[in-house]
């Protein structure tokens, strides 16, 4: 796509391609690096989730954080990315996975996907990193921030064990800067970022599709709504009001 903003027009006007792909279009022109071949037996209305959110969260735990068997983890934010991170921690063998969100409705789904504990920061007077430290005798081995909020990024870092904790920024934002005290890292923590869960799309997506077909990765549990494309604005409102995890859109019958 280098040098070309979009190859789409509608009624004579330029239409932008979201993230360079435009997946709500029946036909598209994209860069070859954004294409991968998957098992034709895979149901597209399920594995479509692997194009971003699920792979991002799962891979952040498995590939970027490199969660270890028997470890303790904390996942901040339980949207699709955070829930996938919980699933990744479980797959990696973590013995304790603390799921953190201000929406209590997320607790049950998090436990289905592997969380051992649920914490709502609103239920505590102490800062959340102090709550986590109290639950884990000083902090978790691995923490993952899946919100895209700089204050939560700092809380996730502070929730990891000082001497060896690993904290991964998964949530996206470019609206604000973040500052920390050098001591937060000098003590021995590692602070990392993760894009698309550390996967290379060319082979990583196909691997995740294979894992789903082999029932090693869950996808169905993330789909809370199936809607037609003409309901897309309704789907966005559901998302904005925290009423859905993932809505799968299909083209309306002609």
């Amino acid at each position: 796509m280098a040098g070309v903003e979009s190859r789409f027009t509608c009624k004579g006007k330029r239409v932008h391609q979201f993230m360079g792909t435009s997946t709500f279009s029946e036909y598209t022109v994209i860069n070859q690096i954004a294409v991968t071949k998957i098992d034709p037996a895979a149901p597209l209305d399920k594995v479509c989730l692997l194009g971003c959110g699920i792979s991002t969260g799962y891979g952040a735990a498995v590939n970027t954080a490199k969660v270890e068997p028997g470890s303790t983890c904390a996942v901040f934010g339980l949207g699709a990315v955070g829930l996938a991170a919980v699933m990744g921690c479980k797959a990696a063998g973590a013995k304790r996975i603390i799921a953190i969100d201000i929406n209590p409705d997320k607790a049950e789904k998090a436990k289905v996907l592997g969380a051992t504990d649920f914490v709502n920061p609103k239920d505590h007077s102490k800062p959340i990193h102090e709550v986590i430290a109290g639950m884990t005798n000083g902090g978790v081995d691995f923490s993952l921030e899946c919100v895209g909020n700089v204050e939560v990024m700092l809380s996730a870092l502070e929730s990891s064990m000082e001497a060896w904790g690993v904290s991964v920024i998964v949530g996206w934002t470019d609206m604000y800067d973040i500052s920390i005290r050098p001591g937060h890292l000098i003590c021995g923590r590692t602070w990392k970022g993760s894009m698309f869960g550390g996967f290379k799309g060319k082979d990583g997506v196909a691997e995740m599709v294979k894992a789903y077909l082999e029932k090693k990765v869950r996808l169905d549990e993330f789909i809370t709504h199936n809607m037609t494309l003409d309901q897309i604005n309704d789907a966005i409102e559901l998302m904005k009001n925290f009423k859905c995890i993932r809505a799968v859109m299909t083209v309306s019958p002609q």
Side-chain angles (χ1 to χ4, degrees), residues 50-79:
L50 295 172
C52 185
I54 310 304
S55 299
T56 296
Y58 186 90
V62 175
N63 300 328
T64 309
K66 296 185 179 350
V67 170
E68 299 172 357
S71 61
T72 57
C73 302
V75 177
F76 290 74
L78 300 175

Short mmCIF file of all heavy atoms in Angstrom, two decimals, residues 50-79:
data_model
loop_
_atom_site.label_atom_id
_atom_site.label_comp_id
_atom_site.label_asym_id
_atom_site.label_seq_id
_atom_site.Cartn_x
_atom_site.Cartn_y
_atom_site.Cartn_z
N LEU A 50 -9.20 -14.00 14.86
CA LEU A 50 -7.75 -14.15 14.98
C LEU A 50 -6.99 -13.10 14.18
O LEU A 50 -5.77 -13.04 14.25
CB LEU A 50 -7.33 -15.55 14.52
CG LEU A 50 -7.87 -16.69 15.39
CD1 LEU A 50 -7.57 -18.03 14.75
CD2 LEU A 50 -7.28 -16.60 16.79
N GLY A 51 -7.71 -12.25 13.44
CA GLY A 51 -7.05 -11.21 12.67
C GLY A 51 -6.46 -10.11 13.53
O GLY A 51 -5.62 -9.34 13.08
N CYS A 52 -6.89 -10.04 14.79
CA CYS A 52 -6.35 -9.00 15.67
C CYS A 52 -6.47 -9.39 17.14
O CYS A 52 -5.57 -9.96 17.72
CB CYS A 52 -7.04 -7.66 15.41
SG CYS A 52 -6.32 -6.30 16.35
N GLY A 53 -7.63 -9.10 17.75
CA GLY A 53 -7.76 -9.12 19.21
C GLY A 53 -7.32 -10.37 19.93
O GLY A 53 -6.54 -10.32 20.88
N ILE A 54 -7.81 -11.54 19.49
CA ILE A 54 -7.51 -12.76 20.23
C ILE A 54 -6.03 -13.12 20.10
O ILE A 54 -5.37 -13.47 21.09
CB ILE A 54 -8.39 -13.92 19.74
CG1 ILE A 54 -9.87 -13.52 19.70
CG2 ILE A 54 -8.17 -15.15 20.62
CD1 ILE A 54 -10.40 -13.00 21.02
N SER A 55 -5.51 -13.01 18.90
CA SER A 55 -4.08 -13.29 18.70
C SER A 55 -3.22 -12.32 19.51
O SER A 55 -2.18 -12.70 20.07
CB SER A 55 -3.73 -13.21 17.21
OG SER A 55 -4.45 -14.16 16.46
N THR A 56 -3.66 -11.07 19.57
CA THR A 56 -2.89 -10.05 20.29
C THR A 56 -2.78 -10.37 21.77
O THR A 56 -1.68 -10.35 22.34
CB THR A 56 -3.55 -8.67 20.10
OG1 THR A 56 -3.50 -8.32 18.71
CG2 THR A 56 -2.85 -7.60 20.92
N GLY A 57 -3.89 -10.67 22.42
CA GLY A 57 -3.86 -10.95 23.84
C GLY A 57 -3.17 -12.27 24.16
O GLY A 57 -2.33 -12.35 25.06
N TYR A 58 -3.53 -13.31 23.42
CA TYR A 58 -2.96 -14.64 23.65
C TYR A 58 -1.45 -14.61 23.44
O TYR A 58 -0.68 -15.10 24.27
CB TYR A 58 -3.61 -15.63 22.69
CG TYR A 58 -3.23 -17.07 22.90
CD1 TYR A 58 -3.97 -17.88 23.75
CD2 TYR A 58 -2.15 -17.64 22.22
CE1 TYR A 58 -3.64 -19.22 23.94
CE2 TYR A 58 -1.81 -18.97 22.40
CZ TYR A 58 -2.57 -19.76 23.26
OH TYR A 58 -2.23 -21.08 23.45
N GLY A 59 -1.03 -14.00 22.34
CA GLY A 59 0.40 -13.94 22.04
C GLY A 59 1.18 -13.08 23.02
O GLY A 59 2.35 -13.35 23.29
N ALA A 60 0.54 -12.03 23.55
CA ALA A 60 1.23 -11.18 24.52
C ALA A 60 1.66 -11.99 25.74
O ALA A 60 2.73 -11.76 26.31
CB ALA A 60 0.32 -10.03 24.95
N ALA A 61 0.82 -12.95 26.13
CA ALA A 61 1.16 -13.82 27.26
C ALA A 61 2.18 -14.87 26.88
O ALA A 61 3.17 -15.10 27.60
CB ALA A 61 -0.11 -14.48 27.80
N VAL A 62 1.95 -15.52 25.75
CA VAL A 62 2.77 -16.67 25.37
C VAL A 62 4.08 -16.25 24.71
O VAL A 62 5.15 -16.79 25.04
CB VAL A 62 1.97 -17.60 24.42
CG1 VAL A 62 2.84 -18.73 23.90
CG2 VAL A 62 0.75 -18.15 25.14
N ASN A 63 4.01 -15.30 23.80
CA ASN A 63 5.21 -14.92 23.03
C ASN A 63 6.01 -13.79 23.65
O ASN A 63 7.24 -13.82 23.65
CB ASN A 63 4.81 -14.49 21.61
CG ASN A 63 4.11 -15.59 20.83
OD1 ASN A 63 4.39 -16.76 21.02
ND2 ASN A 63 3.19 -15.21 19.95
N THR A 64 5.31 -12.75 24.13
CA THR A 64 6.01 -11.56 24.61
C THR A 64 6.41 -11.68 26.08
O THR A 64 7.58 -11.56 26.43
CB THR A 64 5.16 -10.30 24.40
OG1 THR A 64 4.70 -10.24 23.05
CG2 THR A 64 5.96 -9.05 24.71
N ALA A 65 5.42 -11.92 26.93
CA ALA A 65 5.74 -12.09 28.36
C ALA A 65 6.49 -13.39 28.60
O ALA A 65 7.33 -13.47 29.49
CB ALA A 65 4.45 -12.08 29.18
N LYS A 66 6.18 -14.41 27.79
CA LYS A 66 6.74 -15.74 27.98
C LYS A 66 6.40 -16.27 29.38
O LYS A 66 7.28 -16.65 30.15
CB LYS A 66 8.24 -15.76 27.72
CG LYS A 66 8.62 -15.42 26.29
CD LYS A 66 10.10 -15.58 26.05
CE LYS A 66 10.57 -15.28 24.65
NZ LYS A 66 9.63 -15.08 23.59
N VAL A 67 5.09 -16.27 29.66
CA VAL A 67 4.60 -16.76 30.94
C VAL A 67 5.09 -18.19 31.17
O VAL A 67 5.10 -19.02 30.25
CB VAL A 67 3.05 -16.71 30.97
CG1 VAL A 67 2.50 -17.44 32.19
CG2 VAL A 67 2.58 -15.26 30.94
N GLU A 68 5.51 -18.47 32.39
CA GLU A 68 6.12 -19.76 32.71
C GLU A 68 5.17 -20.63 33.53
O GLU A 68 4.32 -20.11 34.27
CB GLU A 68 7.42 -19.53 33.50
CG GLU A 68 8.47 -18.74 32.73
CD GLU A 68 9.66 -18.36 33.60
OE1 GLU A 68 9.61 -18.68 34.82
OE2 GLU A 68 10.61 -17.77 33.07
N PRO A 69 5.30 -21.94 33.42
CA PRO A 69 4.48 -22.85 34.23
C PRO A 69 4.67 -22.59 35.72
O PRO A 69 5.79 -22.34 36.18
CB PRO A 69 5.01 -24.24 33.85
CG PRO A 69 5.61 -24.07 32.49
CD PRO A 69 6.19 -22.68 32.49
N GLY A 70 3.58 -22.58 36.47
CA GLY A 70 3.65 -22.38 37.91
C GLY A 70 3.75 -20.93 38.35
O GLY A 70 3.87 -20.64 39.54
N SER A 71 3.68 -20.00 37.41
CA SER A 71 3.85 -18.58 37.73
C SER A 71 2.54 -17.93 38.14
O SER A 71 1.46 -18.52 38.01
CB SER A 71 4.45 -17.83 36.53
OG SER A 71 3.58 -17.93 35.41
N THR A 72 2.64 -16.69 38.62
CA THR A 72 1.46 -15.88 38.94
C THR A 72 1.35 -14.75 37.93
O THR A 72 2.37 -14.18 37.52
CB THR A 72 1.55 -15.30 40.35
OG1 THR A 72 2.76 -14.52 40.47
CG2 THR A 72 1.55 -16.40 41.40
N CYS A 73 0.12 -14.46 37.51
CA CYS A 73 -0.11 -13.44 36.48
C CYS A 73 -1.25 -12.52 36.90
O CYS A 73 -2.15 -12.91 37.64
CB CYS A 73 -0.48 -14.10 35.15
SG CYS A 73 0.75 -15.24 34.49
N ALA A 74 -1.22 -11.30 36.39
CA ALA A 74 -2.32 -10.36 36.54
C ALA A 74 -2.62 -9.76 35.18
O ALA A 74 -1.70 -9.32 34.48
CB ALA A 74 -1.97 -9.25 37.53
N VAL A 75 -3.90 -9.78 34.79
CA VAL A 75 -4.32 -9.21 33.51
C VAL A 75 -5.26 -8.05 33.79
O VAL A 75 -6.30 -8.22 34.43
CB VAL A 75 -5.02 -10.27 32.64
CG1 VAL A 75 -5.51 -9.63 31.34
CG2 VAL A 75 -4.08 -11.43 32.34
N PHE A 76 -4.89 -6.88 33.31
CA PHE A 76 -5.66 -5.65 33.53
C PHE A 76 -6.51 -5.37 32.29
O PHE A 76 -5.99 -5.13 31.21
CB PHE A 76 -4.73 -4.47 33.79
CG PHE A 76 -4.02 -4.52 35.11
CD1 PHE A 76 -2.97 -5.41 35.32
CD2 PHE A 76 -4.40 -3.69 36.15
CE1 PHE A 76 -2.31 -5.45 36.54
CE2 PHE A 76 -3.76 -3.72 37.37
CZ PHE A 76 -2.71 -4.61 37.57
N GLY A 77 -7.83 -5.40 32.46
CA GLY A 77 -8.74 -5.12 31.36
C GLY A 77 -9.23 -6.41 30.73
O GLY A 77 -8.42 -7.22 30.25
N LEU A 78 -10.54 -6.62 30.75
CA LEU A 78 -11.10 -7.89 30.29
C LEU A 78 -12.03 -7.72 29.09
O LEU A 78 -13.14 -8.25 29.05
CB LEU A 78 -11.83 -8.59 31.45
CG LEU A 78 -10.95 -8.91 32.65
CD1 LEU A 78 -11.79 -9.48 33.78
CD2 LEU A 78 -9.81 -9.86 32.28
N GLY A 79 -11.56 -6.95 28.11
CA GLY A 79 -12.20 -6.99 26.81
C GLY A 79 -11.70 -8.24 26.10
O GLY A 79 -11.13 -9.14 26.72
#
